[in-house]
Amino acid sequence: MFGMRNVPLLLLVLMQLLHACSALDNGLALTPPMGWMSWQRFRCITDCDTYPDECISEQLFRRSADLLVSEGYADVGYEYVIIDDCWLEWNRDNMTNKLVPDRKRFPRGLNVLADHIHDKGLKFGLYQDFGTKTCAGYPGVIDHMALDAETFAKWDVDYVKLDGCNANLSDMETGYPEFGRLLNETGRPMVYSCSWPAYQSEQPHFESLKRHCNLWRNWADVQDSFQSVMAITDYFAKNQDSMQPHAGPGHWNDPDMLILGNYGLSYDQSKLQMAIWAVLAAPLIMSNDLAKVRPEIKEILQNRDVIAVNQDPLGIQGKRLLIKKKIEVWSRPIEPKINGEYSYAIAFVSRRVDGSPFSITFTLKELSLFNDNGYIVQDLFERNNKMGVFRKDTKFKTRVIPNGVSFYKFTAL
């Protein structure tokens, strides 16, 4: 039995346990999550009679899970199948107040769909909103957070995206952590994606984000255009000094979905988004029609060398290092680390519109590469393309097409 002299020790233990329960602390997303989400490509298409292959329905998500496996995406790490907005009935259940999946589009409920996704060796993700309603007007979690967290656990959800429409900004600093705590209390491991920084005009509270969320949307939604992708990269570059230190295993800045395979990006612009997202240690969440991704785009999405950069276990987010003659240099420290010197993934991104590829030369010092023994360089978009060894007194030359990228791994020797 505990004597009175042990009461302070007992209180200390209880306080520690209480502190642990108040944090997300789920041990998930130790590398950026990879998967597929419906929103960017399929939005809120709910007319299944007119658009049977595009509407937000059980059929769409079963098919997408099947394609992740049959088309090789699962083999390279894409594992989450995530339903975004517009999956609900317009009202909660009258008797229980529980959320109700649309009865016509998800006639068998969500457990059957979750079982199918899990049977494929994949994981199941679901969207909700911290507000009174979702962005599309369906019921949000406000006033029902404990109930909804428990419902998600019973539906075997593995990933929760919580949006922030129709909510008071002043409530987000406490509300988002509270929902994360409630998810944690269910006992089911669920990756928690928060959106509250995207709705704030002031500097986010990164320490709270890191403590309560596995990833968080920092800024505006990506749209299906190259202009949108570059606006997001510019935002990340402008704010990198405040954002970058807070990314790491279990907690990631999120620039939003990969739009490769849709309508807005050319082949080379697709490589550009993939390269920058790898440097940023961004979640690789595709939003496209997997049945219609062209082979050359599929090859970019499944590039194991680029994915390895994104999934580097060190978990250090990269930065835009410099701009020279409208060529941006994006650099990320990665493994292996030799005698205290990191290896690096470096993307050379062209903001030029010359009409022809632009050749440019850098010293290794300009690229912040200081390893005395030099680096062996590999072109990450060209298979087996080892470019040789570059010492600190040699120069590195690359050629970048307009609105394109050249992407290399500099492995420290």
Side-chain angles (χ1 to χ4, degrees):
M1 294 180 63
F2 270 85
M4 288 300 295
R5 64 183 178 181
N6 291 319
V7 169
L9 176 61
L10 179 60
L11 288 174
L12 178 61
V13 171
L14 289 173
M15 288 175 65
Q16 289 174 335
L17 289 173
L18 197 61
H19 174 79
C21 290
S22 70
L24 186 62
D25 192 26
N26 58 14
L28 302 175
L30 298 182
T31 59
M34 297 177 61
W36 180 91
M37 183 183 289
S38 57
W39 179 255
Q40 171 50 40
R41 172 57 183 86
F42 296 101
R43 299 287 169 142
C44 199
I45 300 174
T46 56
D47 183 352
C48 294
D49 295 328
T50 306
Y51 308 106
D53 294 329
E54 296 182 78
C55 69
I56 303 303
S57 64
E58 178 183 339
Q59 176 185 334
L60 173 64
F61 296 97
R62 288 176 68 93
R63 185 177 79 240
S64 297
D66 294 346
L67 288 166
L68 280 180
V69 175
S70 65
E71 294 297 314
Y73 293 95
D75 288 340
V76 297
Y78 295 96
E79 61 176 343
Y80 290 97
V81 178
I82 307 165
I83 303 176
D84 209 281
D85 205 349
C86 307
W87 58 273
L88 284 159
E89 288 283 340
W90 288 109
N91 297 292
R92 291 175 176 268
D93 183 89
N94 287 332
M95 299 294 293
T96 66
N97 277 327
K98 290 183 178 180
L99 296 167
V100 182
D102 186 276
R103 294 180 176 89
K104 181 178 179 181
R105 293 181 282 115
F106 296 90
R108 298 185 292 177
L110 293 186
N111 278 115
V112 171
L113 177 58
D115 288 345
H116 179 79
I117 290 170
H118 291 144
D119 287 346
K120 292 287 181 179
L122 304 170
K123 296 177 181 178
F124 175 42
L126 194 60
Y127 167 102
Q128 244 300 342
D129 192 287
F130 176 64
T132 54
K133 296 181 182 297
T134 73
C135 295
Y138 296 89
V141 303
I142 288 293
D143 299 327
H144 301 91
M145 292 202 294
L147 175 63
D148 290 352
E150 189 62 39
T151 300
F152 290 172
K154 291 178 179 178
W155 285 342
D156 297 328
V157 173
D158 305 297
Y159 179 118
V160 175
K161 173 185 174 181
L162 194 67
D163 212 335
C165 289
N166 303 301
N168 293 323
L169 292 177
S170 59
D171 295 336
M172 291 184 177
E173 293 280 355
T174 56
Y176 271 90
E178 172 68 5
F179 194 68
R181 182 185 67 79
L182 292 167
L183 291 175
N184 208 32
E185 284 188 348
T186 67
R188 180 172 182 82
M190 288 181 264
V191 169
Y192 185 32
S193 171
C194 301
S195 295
W196 101 70
Y199 290 87
Q200 294 178 308
S201 57
E202 69 273 10
Q203 181 76 9
H205 186 195
F206 282 108
E207 291 303 323
S208 181
L209 284 166
K210 288 158 61 177
R211 183 178 174 194
H212 296 289
C213 306
N214 293 119
L215 58 152
W216 49 84
R217 280 285 313 286
N218 299 78
W219 198 53
D221 287 359
V222 68
Q223 307 297 330
D224 193 7
S225 74
F226 182 63
Q227 180 183 11
S228 175
V229 169
M230 296 314 294
I232 291 171
T233 64
D234 285 342
Y235 177 86
F236 267 66
K238 179 181 178 181
N239 296 280
Q240 62 188 12
D241 290 339
S242 62
M243 293 165 53
Q244 186 269 349
H246 301 289
H251 43 88
W252 309 99
N253 292 301
D254 181 7
D256 210 4
M257 292 163 274
L258 292 170
I259 61 170
L260 286 72
N262 292 323
Y263 309 110
L265 300 186
S266 70
Y267 170 73
D268 288 288
Q269 291 166 349
S270 298
K271 290 201 295 185
L272 185 151
Q273 188 190 17
M274 192 73 177
I276 295 181
W277 264 232
V279 170
L280 290 176
L284 298 183
I285 306 295
M286 301 179 290
S287 188
N288 51 26
D289 188 339
L290 291 170
K292 297 181 179 179
V293 175
R294 301 191 308 274
E296 67 272 22
I297 304 300
K298 176 182 168 183
E299 186 175 6
I300 298 170
L301 287 165
Q302 296 188 12
N303 184 311
R304 291 178 182 270
D305 292 326
V306 174
I307 290 171
V309 170
N310 175 266
Q311 297 287 296
D312 185 78
L314 294 177
I316 303 172
Q317 180 177 316
K319 292 183 176 183
R320 189 173 69 186
L321 186 64
L322 60 94
I323 305 173
K324 181 178 176 179
K325 298 182 179 179
K326 295 186 179 180
I327 301 295
E328 299 180 350
V329 179
W330 292 76
S331 177
R332 179 182 180 184
I334 58 174
E335 289 189 337
K337 189 176 183 181
I338 306 296
N339 296 326
E341 293 289 345
Y342 290 108
S343 300
Y344 288 86
I346 301 182
F348 299 89
V349 174
S350 176
R351 303 301 287 265
R352 303 181 67 91
V353 290
D354 302 62
S356 62
F358 186 78
S359 294
I360 189 167
T361 301
F362 295 88
T363 65
L364 266 60
K365 182 178 180 181
E366 282 182 287
L367 301 176
S368 294
L369 301 173
F370 301 113
N371 185 36
D372 288 336
N373 294 323
Y375 303 82
I376 188 166
V377 180
Q378 175 190 359
D379 187 327
L380 294 175
F381 281 122
E382 296 293 334
R383 292 180 180 175
N384 303 315
N385 189 359
K386 296 289 197 310
M387 301 176 62
V389 174
F390 288 77
R391 308 290 181 185
K392 63 180 181 178
D393 56 347
T394 58
K395 294 183 178 181
F396 182 80
K397 183 177 181 179
T398 187
R399 195 166 183 246
V400 195
I401 70 167
N403 293 323
V405 66
S406 297
F407 197 22
Y408 305 95
K409 180 179 180 180
F410 289 74
T411 303
L413 296 174

